[in-house]
Amino acid sequence: MKKLLGLTAVALAMVLVTGVPHAAEKMKVGFIYVGPIGDHGWSYQHDQGRLAIEKELGDQVETVFVEKVSEGPDAERVIERLARQGAGLIFTTSFGFMNPTLKVAKRFPKVKFEHATGFKRAPNVATYNARFYEGRYIIGQAAAKISKSGVAGYIASFPIPEVVMGINAFILGAQTVNPGFKLKVIWVNSWFDPGKEADAAKVLIGQGVDVITQHTDSTAPLQIASEKGVHAFGQATDMIKFAPKAQVTSIVNNWAPYYVARTKAVLDGIWKSEDTWGGLSAGTVQMAPYTNVAADIAKAAKETEAKIRSGALHPFTGPLQKQDGTEFLAAGKVIDDGTLAGMNFYVKGVDGKLPQ
Amino acid sequence: MKIILEKRIEHSRVMALLSPLLAIAITVVIGGIIFASLGLDPAEALYVYFVEPVTTLWSIEELIVKAAPLVLIGAGLAICYSANVWNIGAEGQLTIGALFGSAIPVYFTTWQSPLTLVVMLVLGGFGGALFAAIPAALKNRFGANEILTSLMLVYVAQLLLDWLVRGPWRDPQGYNFPQSVPFEGWQQLPLLGEGRVHIGAIFAVMAVIVLAIMMGRSLRGFEIRVVGNSPRAGAFAGFHQKRVVWFTFMLSGALAGLAGICEVAGPSGELQPSISPGYGFTAIIVAFLGRLNPIGVLFAGFLLAISYLGGEAAQVELGISDKTAQVFQGMLLFFILACDTMILYRIKIASGRSASAKA
Amino acid sequence: MGAFEAVILTIITASTPLLLAAIGELVTERAGVLNLGVEGMMIMGAVCGFAAAYTTGSPIFGVGAGLLGGVGMSLLFAFLTQTLMTSQVATGLALTLLGLGLSGLIGEAFTGLPGVKLGPIDIPFLIDLPFVGSILFGQDILVYFSFALVAIVTYMLFRTRTGLIINAVGGNHHSAHALGYDVVKVRYACIAFGGACSGLAGAYLSLVYTPQWIENMSSGRGWIALALVAFSSWLPRRVLVGAYLFGTVWIMGLYVQALGVAIPAQLLSSLPYLVTITALIMMSGDKTLTKVNTPACIGQPFAPER
């Protein structure tokens, strides 16, 4: 009680000194991350988005975050805490936060929620994701040009649609250069396990792979690629400083434009619940500078990038066959987002069985 | 200078009560110093950490939600450790318990009756006990170290859960994302009050009461304590160490399994690849902090829950890293252990010469 | 480099930290002390090693700092268990918890930075030998050291007076005390040795395995090391076998996937643990051998007054 009095006194004093408290007018924007912001991958990039909000709208909003929130029952409490602290907008940045987000959203109808990578929405819950597969198509093409062995190594996390569509986009890109291009996939069963990712990279290189890509978040595979003298592609952030001689490019998750736009929308009172899937054109997906390759490869990659951005090229354009040869997309057709979001099969050209 | 410990003839009752308080006090003081060194007002930081979580109804409810599994598991582990049986794998038993119980909503999606919930809870406890029986059997039959086998089995259990949720048990309507069908109606635990507090909290309190009575009043409790103190003395008294290993492992496993099914049928409402933020491991601290006494575990569970919630509040309000909470818990445990020495021993500090003369 | 050599090299990297930590813990346990804090000492070794190497630019400094980090943690454990006579099991668990938290706090300033790698020492000419050259003669100093350590510890435990004393203290501390040995002092030394080895294992992770600092990067290796000691029946050469067995199973799980064999990744990931449990059972089953080598006083506090 004494403590409370003390705090009140301090607050009063502050009001007296600074006049009207600005803090009261600012809208709070909350974030919860599944990993530590020091993961230099997924959560780190979301935090970069948060910092962009601070930079652009710092005079109107303040941001708070909680990191390393486990995707179980704890998530609901942390989200509710942010809502109770008076956050007007809350970003929940991992798939596993989907149901907790919806539960809290029901109790706080005035607060706006943004859930990354999920598929359930509500009047005050929007969802967003990025078209990372666009970047994977580009690196697939580049990999096929770089590789002498005609085989790439793919370090994958979990067989969910997001990852499966990435593998498919990669091989489709590679096939435009070398129709017989092959992939070796290792599932490390984790989004972030540097030791295991490094081991997987070594095993792949040992089996004759001369270019490596990953759908996991640590920089370890790039370090190994660098050590063994093969090329590799970064993930989530520009990882060039971990592999200055090995990284060709990196698919960068750039949430900043989306986060800033959505925060502005809340401030202006025009926020709506919707599903946003931004890609290269929206700036949500960015390619790190093309390095360590011949000029013609870099040039071709930039051209593909420009075509995707302008909409002239969609990585999933028919005719496309599933692994077993059955057609799932007729000639000239472009895949719809529903099929992509639930993609649970390999396209033709990927060897091996998709774990189910 | 040398520290000498003189064994007390009897356990100090004063110190038994005082030592946890002393340990908490030291932790608070050191914590204050750490906060000050981080450039924060120590009083404010400590307030956010330890006091704020009990100032609103919502956070008290959340404390109960967080403490319930810790108490439930910790009480079982306390009995285990009293018997000198080292079950470190409660996290795995929790996972298997959750899996066993969840089999009902996964396979009998439409079965709705009060019996549904009862069967789920029973299966949860049974699954945990069954999984705990493995290290118990390996210890009794082969003499394999239970610390290591029970721990290795945690990884196995978690990978099994992972496989099921991403494979055979995946929600057919869930776009291939790793989660089971949502639990509904009688597949969920009844709630107490407006918030998230569920009847798992009652189970925790009941477990504490029953175990406290068992340890204090029954022959079984006596047997556990005797065998724990000295297996040889236990053998003279006609107690079998193997029987105690079986009993304590299955008991703690059943409680961990119950905690597991309560988590998925309670706050989660579905199976996910991660169903527990390490409750099974944190409960080890809870058991020690509660001085291996079920009633003590009840308090310890709340204290740890406060430190978690306080840690979150500190992140939001003060921007303190979550690792601080972890360091706090580690320190608290260290100080508890060190202070406990004073229950059994009198501490004397002597100059080097007299010490060596005595030795 | 052939495919075979590549696999062997990968296995060596995966096994070395386990071997280092396990051999240290073996000595600690031989003296009758069960330190369950290997994971905590290892992770502190990793963060100290990285911090020192990054700051000074010298990986050798990093190795030294990692070693000291492990020793520091182990002395904390020694003070509690030997001087204050706390429960070894509980103190070891607390050490792990503290180590994981503290290392995270220290490491905050070092996350997301590319580290300095401790490079291999190639032995000229010999490294060019076909097939075995790069395996036998192209390793970093810690790999060579881990093998040397097995030989040194074996010799020390069974051929020297020091070893005799350690075994006596672990076998029956009251007789050892009666013979005039300072039980507590011997145990302090053995705990510190274990800490040093765990610290080196941690430094190996942050300087060789993946040269960067990542929270919780030991990811359970300390526990595996503990299991290996029990598996070995407290014999150094068996620790060597066990560490390499575990490393092989671990890498093979990835290897068969890359070959396109369709086995659930979760099953492959759980194989090393299942193999460890099986090995523990098999070793524990060998009663005579276990009896001869098990330190009889393991886990028991020693108080001379009694």
Side-chain angles (χ1 to χ4, degrees):
Chain A
M1 199 57 223
K2 212 171 177 183
K3 179 70 216 166
L4 265 179
L5 282 175
L7 282 181
T8 322
V10 170
L12 267 176
M14 272 172 65
V15 172
L16 289 176
V17 171
T18 56
V20 187
H22 286 281
E25 286 169 5
K26 283 188 180 178
M27 181 177 80
K28 260 191 195 161
V29 182
F31 285 80
I32 71 167
Y33 307 130
V34 68
I37 49 175
D39 68 359
H40 221 72
W42 181 257
S43 294
Y44 173 82
Q45 286 303 122
H46 285 288
D47 200 54
Q48 293 296 308
R50 177 185 70 86
L51 293 173
I53 296 179
E54 290 249 299
K55 201 174 153 217
E56 300 240 340
L57 306 165
D59 50 341
Q60 299 169 70
V61 299
E62 60 173 312
T63 63
V64 285
F65 69 93
V66 183
E67 58 177 332
K68 281 211 300 198
V69 177
S70 87
E71 292 185 326
D74 273 0
E76 191 179 334
R77 180 184 63 247
V78 178
I79 299 168
E80 178 151 359
R81 177 185 295 282
L82 292 174
R84 281 175 178 271
Q85 294 275 334
L89 173 64
I90 297 172
F91 291 91
T92 57
T93 63
S94 181
F95 172 74
F97 299 149
M98 180 165 73
N99 289 334
T101 304
L102 285 152
K103 283 187 202 164
V104 179
K106 218 181 234 172
R107 293 198 287 272
F108 293 84
K110 282 188 190 145
V111 180
K112 312 285 185 260
F113 295 83
E114 294 264 351
H115 176 240
T117 73
F119 56 82
K120 290 186 191 166
R121 276 171 296 284
N124 58 336
V125 181
T127 52
Y128 62 100
N129 201 348
R131 299 179 185 275
F132 301 118
Y133 66 86
E134 294 178 347
R136 298 209 178 265
Y137 185 84
I138 301 171
I139 65 172
Q141 220 170 31
K145 285 185 177 158
I146 294 163
S147 173
K148 291 191 181 67
S149 64
V151 191
Y154 207 110
I155 301 167
S157 50
F158 297 104
I160 56 170
E162 165 75 38
V163 178
V164 175
M165 82 174 92
I167 293 175
N168 287 338
F170 183 91
I171 195 86
L172 289 176
Q175 282 168 352
T176 61
V177 178
N178 174 0
F181 197 75
K182 293 263 173 272
L183 267 188
K184 281 178 182 287
V185 184
I186 292 186
W187 299 94
V188 292
N189 217 43
S190 167
W191 284 110
F192 188 79
D193 185 339
K196 203 167 179 184
E197 290 170 47
D199 290 338
K202 284 184 213 162
V203 165
L204 287 166
I205 296 166
Q207 289 190 10
V209 155
D210 57 0
V211 55
I212 293 244
T213 187
Q214 62 185 79
H215 203 143
T216 50
D217 284 348
S218 93
T219 50
L222 276 144
Q223 286 185 315
I224 299 299
S226 181
E227 211 176 281
K228 306 275 181 195
V230 305
H231 287 91
F233 299 92
Q235 147 95 359
T237 67
D238 188 351
M239 298 176 167
I240 189 78
K241 66 178 170 177
F242 285 89
K245 296 260 161 58
Q247 179 180 296
V248 178
T249 180
S250 180
I251 304 170
V252 177
N253 312 352
N254 176 28
W255 304 106
Y258 181 74
Y259 285 179
V260 172
R262 297 300 277 178
T263 310
K264 268 194 191 136
V266 176
L267 288 171
D268 299 345
I270 53 166
W271 186 95
K272 272 206 322 269
S273 165
E274 50 198 19
D275 182 34
T276 311
W277 226 12
L280 285 166
S281 61
T284 318
V285 178
Q286 283 181 335
M287 303 306 286
Y290 299 95
T291 49
N292 296 317
V293 280
D296 62 320
I297 300 180
K299 187 162 164 268
K302 273 182 206 153
E303 280 167 15
T304 310
E305 191 185 329
K307 271 192 216 156
I308 296 178
R309 184 175 290 126
S310 70
L313 171 68
H314 191 294
F316 289 92
T317 306
L320 290 179
Q321 289 94 32
K322 290 187 184 177
Q323 199 176 22
D324 58 10
T326 55
E327 189 176 86
F328 71 92
L329 196 61
K333 286 246 170 78
V334 166
I335 202 165
D336 62 281
D337 284 354
T339 314
L340 268 181
M343 193 169 253
N344 63 347
F345 55 84
Y346 281 148
V347 297
K348 202 173 161 206
V350 184
D351 288 338
K353 200 170 154 277
L354 177 65
Q356 286 292 342
Chain B
M1 210 179 77
K2 190 166 179 177
I3 298 169
I4 301 177
L5 299 187
E6 213 170 80
K7 201 166 170 81
R8 292 179 196 266
I9 298 157
E10 257 183 62
H11 292 193
S12 162
R13 288 198 161 253
V14 182
M15 286 317 287
L17 286 175
L18 218 56
S19 95
L21 299 178
L22 193 61
I24 292 168
I26 300 176
T27 310
V28 166
V29 170
I30 304 228
I33 295 172
I34 293 178
F35 288 133
S37 70
L38 290 171
L40 295 157
D41 172 8
E44 188 194 354
L46 289 169
Y47 174 82
V48 170
Y49 241 94
F50 294 109
V51 184
E52 205 189 74
V54 290
T55 50
T56 66
L57 179 65
W58 172 74
S59 59
I60 291 175
E61 282 182 335
E62 286 297 324
L63 269 184
I64 296 172
V65 173
K66 184 92 188 173
L70 291 175
V71 172
L72 204 51
I73 306 168
L77 292 181
I79 308 302
C80 237
Y81 301 161
S82 304
N84 239 334
V85 175
W86 301 103
N87 178 6
I88 305 295
E91 183 80 3
Q93 293 140 24
L94 175 153
T95 306
I96 297 295
L99 281 181
F100 266 63
S102 301
I104 299 294
V106 169
Y107 287 113
F108 306 93
T109 322
T110 52
W111 185 30
Q112 286 288 350
S113 104
L115 199 61
T116 316
L117 187 63
V118 175
V119 173
M120 281 170 70
L121 291 172
V122 170
L123 274 179
F126 175 73
L130 197 68
F131 203 59
I134 301 173
L138 295 179
K139 181 180 171 70
N140 279 344
R141 173 72 185 76
F142 301 103
N145 185 321
E146 77 273 22
I147 295 176
L148 301 170
T149 50
S150 62
L151 183 78
M152 299 284 137
L153 286 169
V154 173
Y155 300 110
V156 177
Q158 286 174 338
L159 286 161
L160 178 66
L161 164 71
D162 195 84
W163 176 69
L164 283 173
V165 179
R166 292 177 192 280
W169 285 16
R170 197 170 50 193
D171 180 3
Q173 264 91 54
Y175 291 90
N176 286 5
F177 278 105
Q179 51 185 215
S180 71
V181 290
F183 299 2
E184 269 148 19
W186 280 108
Q187 295 159 349
Q188 282 189 312
L189 292 184
L191 294 175
L192 308 171
E194 298 289 301
R196 294 204 296 159
V197 182
H198 51 81
I199 56 169
I202 298 181
F203 297 153
V205 175
M206 273 163 44
V208 164
I209 295 170
V210 170
L211 293 181
I213 293 173
M214 183 193 82
M215 288 306 278
R217 301 275 166 85
S218 75
L219 183 64
R220 184 42 73 68
F222 182 66
E223 178 182 18
I224 288 170
R225 275 183 287 131
V226 171
V227 171
N229 277 334
S230 158
R232 210 180 291 166
F236 277 127
F239 296 145
H240 296 289
Q241 202 196 351
K242 287 191 177 175
R243 199 171 60 199
V244 170
V245 170
W246 276 116
F247 178 76
T248 53
F249 249 110
M250 308 266 283
L251 175 76
S252 55
L255 289 176
L258 185 62
I261 186 63
C262 284
E263 280 303 292
V264 290
S268 283
E270 67 190 350
L271 269 186
Q272 282 193 340
S274 65
I275 51 177
S276 144
Y279 284 135
F281 293 115
T282 314
I284 299 172
I285 310 174
V286 170
F288 279 107
L289 206 59
R291 332 217 44 265
L292 304 187
N293 172 335
I295 308 274
V297 164
L298 189 63
F299 290 104
F302 271 93
L303 185 63
L304 266 247
I306 287 178
S307 81
Y308 276 110
L309 262 65
E312 280 163 18
Q315 269 195 74
V316 175
E317 290 173 33
L318 308 170
I320 297 175
S321 139
D322 72 304
K323 285 128 212 154
T324 325
Q326 221 175 343
V327 174
F328 258 27
Q329 289 165 3
M331 280 196 323
L332 187 62
L333 190 50
F334 263 112
F335 293 135
I336 280 277
L337 291 167
C339 292
D340 273 6
T341 305
M342 289 182 283
I343 299 170
L344 294 171
Y345 303 93
R346 234 181 275 280
I347 294 185
K348 288 191 171 172
I349 295 178
S351 70
R353 198 169 299 161
S354 68
S356 55
K358 195 169 180 240
Chain C
M1 201 196 304
F4 172 75
E5 283 166 88
V7 174
I8 301 292
L9 286 174
T10 312
I11 292 173
I12 292 175
T13 317
S15 310
T16 301
L18 301 174
L19 178 57
L20 283 169
I23 206 90
E25 176 69 12
L26 181 139
V27 173
T28 308
E29 291 189 17
R30 276 271 174 182
V33 180
L34 180 64
N35 184 354
L36 292 182
V38 178
E39 183 85 5
M41 302 188 293
M42 201 190 258
I43 195 74
M44 283 299 281
V47 74
C48 294
F50 184 89
Y54 186 82
T55 320
T56 63
S58 151
I60 288 295
F61 267 120
V63 171
L67 184 145
L68 289 179
V71 170
M73 289 296 276
S74 71
L75 287 178
L76 191 61
F77 174 85
F79 176 71
L80 270 116
T81 57
Q82 301 308 306
T83 304
L84 295 182
M85 282 185 261
T86 59
S87 150
Q88 293 180 8
V89 173
T91 312
L93 291 171
L95 197 69
T96 293
L97 197 81
L98 186 73
L100 290 173
L102 202 57
S103 62
L105 213 54
I106 296 173
E108 259 181 357
F110 296 97
T111 35
L113 299 172
V116 196
K117 190 181 159 92
L118 178 69
I121 300 175
D122 297 345
I123 297 169
F125 308 117
L126 287 176
I127 192 168
D128 300 324
L129 283 176
F131 224 51
V132 293
S134 57
I135 296 172
L136 293 181
F137 304 108
Q139 300 293 342
D140 55 79
I141 191 162
L142 284 172
V143 172
Y144 295 130
F145 180 70
S146 69
F147 279 91
L149 203 59
V150 175
I152 294 167
V153 168
T154 308
Y155 179 79
M156 179 196 77
L157 282 177
F158 304 115
R159 294 273 182 277
T160 67
R161 205 179 132 71
T162 316
L164 209 67
I165 297 170
I166 293 173
N167 283 316
V169 165
N172 187 335
H173 45 219
H174 294 299
S175 338
H177 178 65
L179 286 171
Y181 299 123
D182 189 337
V183 173
V184 169
K185 214 175 256 174
V186 171
R187 287 188 172 167
Y188 255 95
C190 290
I191 292 168
F193 180 82
C197 291
S198 288
L200 283 180
Y204 189 83
L205 294 178
S206 64
L207 297 172
V208 182
Y209 210 128
T210 48
Q212 45 181 311
W213 162 250
I214 300 139
E215 234 184 291
N216 204 1
M217 70 187 298
S218 49
S219 59
R221 287 189 180 80
W223 295 104
I224 305 290
L226 272 161
L228 289 173
V229 180
F231 157 83
S232 74
S233 312
W234 293 271
L235 290 172
R237 59 187 151 85
R238 288 202 177 192
V239 166
L240 179 70
V241 173
Y244 274 80
L245 179 69
F246 189 93
T248 307
V249 177
W250 177 256
I251 295 301
M252 279 301 149
L254 299 171
Y255 191 82
V256 297
Q257 269 200 58
L259 289 180
V261 181
I263 303 173
Q266 294 94 340
L267 178 63
L268 292 170
S269 302
S270 62
L271 268 184
Y273 306 109
L274 292 171
V275 168
T276 311
I277 294 174
T278 317
L280 266 173
I281 297 168
M282 277 160 40
M283 291 300 148
S284 314
D286 189 348
K287 294 277 190 257
T288 42
L289 191 108
T290 315
K291 214 171 221 167
V292 174
N293 288 298
T294 308
C297 287
I298 193 150
Q300 296 172 15
F302 171 70
E305 287 89 353
R306 269 189 292 182

